[in-house]
Amino acid sequence: MSKVYSSKEKRTKNLKYAAVALAVVFLASAILLFVNIWENHQSLFPKRDFEVADSGLEYKGEEYRLKDGIETILVLGLDKFETADIESYNNNKQADFLMLLVVDHENESCTALHINRDTIAQMDVLGVAGDAIGSVEKQIALAHTYGNGKEVSCRNTAEAVSNLLMGIEIDRYVSVTMDAVSVYNDFIGGVELTVLDDFSGIDDTLVEGETVTLLGEHALNYVRTRYGLDDSTNARRMVRQRQYLEAVYAKTLDFIDNDDEFVVEAAVKLADYIVTDYTGTGLQDLAKKISNYEFVEICELEGRNVRGDEHIEFYPDEDSIEETVVKLFYEPKNK
């Protein structure tokens, strides 16, 4: 017999606030409901027309076509890195966290693709005016360093993600600087979790195996640190990030259920840390549409880590890319 949920249980189970709903996990679902904080910046940087195989493709002997009603939102967590010389038309903010939200309006569901920031991908090199003057293959996190550090850089990263995913169009983006993690973390009173790695000498308050309540800079240390740990790959850090996101999301839902003012207060708290090509109204409309959608899963590409000349590089398996793209964006033609 299937379980009958109370209205509150059903609301808590199904509450998925769109763009931030899967990113809020460290942003806060609040963002989607705060109207008119952001302006629509799309006109500052024309969106590229991606060439996707809209006529279909063949996968494992079966013909597939693009699904209808799919909306994609790229969520970026930005961090700064030190560099000796930055061109005036570039910036020093790289995307340490990348998550693509795939909203299926036809089937009323959401899926998230967590993208390794070390993934080697093709990206545009931008000139002073924001125009592409060449292309390179680098860690996908660095696509954001080309451009103005805001709208242009976000769109350049979106195009790099599109290149990675066989030309799938990225509709929208939401970026947040990583220092917002500790701001939001403390706004909700800290986050309790069990420490997964040994942070000795880096943050001695984080003892492997102990259950702690993360506050202030300790929350940021937990989701950002990788160098100096036994396993310094980004793949290991992604495991901690997903653990943290799940804990933040659960606590966020509790606040939303019990505090009518939480949404607006959280959005105001985070507004200065965010860049997006959504308007506040657009975010609100999206939130209304998918507030009852099913959240399917958070998935990632399979591949291998290789130590490059300077940094660790992640090379996704071509089969994994194709399988993921087909699963998220295509359906059998005979369906």
Side-chain angles (χ1 to χ4, degrees), residues 9-287:
E9 286 176 325
K10 186 175 181 180
R11 179 168 177 256
T12 301
K13 176 181 172 61
N14 294 330
L15 198 56
K16 306 299 172 187
Y17 281 140
V20 182
L22 304 180
V24 158
V25 206
F26 83 88
L27 287 205
S29 355
I31 300 175
L32 291 177
L33 296 182
F34 187 64
V35 184
N36 297 325
I37 284 184
W38 305 287
E39 295 296 329
N40 189 338
H41 298 294
Q42 260 190 309
S43 60
L44 297 178
F45 188 48
K47 190 174 181 180
R48 170 179 296 177
D49 291 327
F50 296 100
E51 294 184 5
V52 185
D54 53 5
S55 59
L57 56 78
E58 182 178 326
Y59 179 67
K60 293 186 175 180
E62 187 171 0
E63 293 294 322
Y64 286 81
R65 64 186 177 197
L66 279 172
K67 294 178 182 177
D68 294 324
I70 296 293
E71 184 172 3
T72 52
I73 304 118
L74 179 63
V75 181
L76 306 174
L78 306 179
D79 209 356
K80 294 181 179 179
F81 67 95
E82 298 301 323
T83 183
D85 184 24
I86 289 289
E87 301 280 358
S88 60
Y89 49 89
N90 289 347
N91 70 92
N92 67 345
K93 287 185 288 188
Q94 56 186 344
D96 261 6
F97 174 91
L98 301 95
M99 183 172 281
L100 184 66
L101 313 183
V102 182
V103 182
D104 186 338
H105 294 292
E106 291 285 321
N107 295 304
E108 298 186 348
S109 64
C110 297
T111 304
L113 175 61
H114 195 181
I115 300 172
N116 191 327
R117 55 92 64 210
D118 292 335
T119 301
I120 299 301
Q122 192 79 22
M123 67 192 68
D124 286 338
V125 176
L126 305 180
V128 181
D131 299 321
I133 58 174
S135 64
V136 293
E137 281 194 350
K138 287 186 176 181
Q139 293 173 320
I140 201 165
L142 299 178
H144 190 276
T145 65
Y146 297 104
N148 62 357
K150 295 183 179 180
E151 303 84 7
V152 176
S153 296
C154 287
R155 178 48 57 187
N156 198 51
T157 307
E159 292 177 1
V161 171
S162 175
N163 292 336
L164 174 67
L165 300 179
M166 301 167 55
I168 291 296
E169 183 172 353
I170 310 304
D171 298 311
R172 298 284 189 173
Y173 59 78
V174 178
S175 76
V176 59
T177 54
M178 291 295 280
D179 48 1
V181 172
S182 56
V183 172
Y184 183 70
N185 180 90
D186 289 4
F187 179 71
I188 61 174
V191 173
E192 184 178 274
L193 48 69
T194 300
V195 178
L196 297 180
D197 295 305
D198 182 5
F199 285 78
S200 299
I202 299 170
D203 187 334
D204 293 331
T205 69
L206 302 176
V207 179
E208 185 175 8
E210 287 194 359
T211 298
V212 300
T213 298
L214 297 177
L215 291 169
E217 65 179 9
H218 304 298
L220 189 55
N221 290 341
Y222 192 73
V223 299
R224 184 167 61 177
T225 302
R226 63 168 169 160
Y227 296 115
L229 301 181
D230 290 340
D231 185 343
S232 62
T233 65
N234 191 56
R236 181 59 183 174
R237 179 170 61 177
M238 289 169 68
V239 172
R240 294 198 310 274
Q241 288 174 342
R242 286 195 290 273
Q243 176 203 25
Y244 179 77
L245 296 183
E246 290 170 2
V248 171
Y249 188 61
K251 195 163 187 180
T252 296
L253 291 182
D254 286 340
F255 272 102
I256 291 173
D257 270 340
N258 295 295
D259 183 354
D260 292 338
E261 302 299 319
F262 174 80
V263 167
V264 173
E265 291 174 358
V268 171
K269 199 78 174 177
L270 294 173
D272 291 341
Y273 300 92
I274 295 167
V275 172
T276 180
D277 59 352
Y278 273 109
T279 61
T281 303
L283 287 172
Q284 186 183 40
D285 290 344
L286 179 61

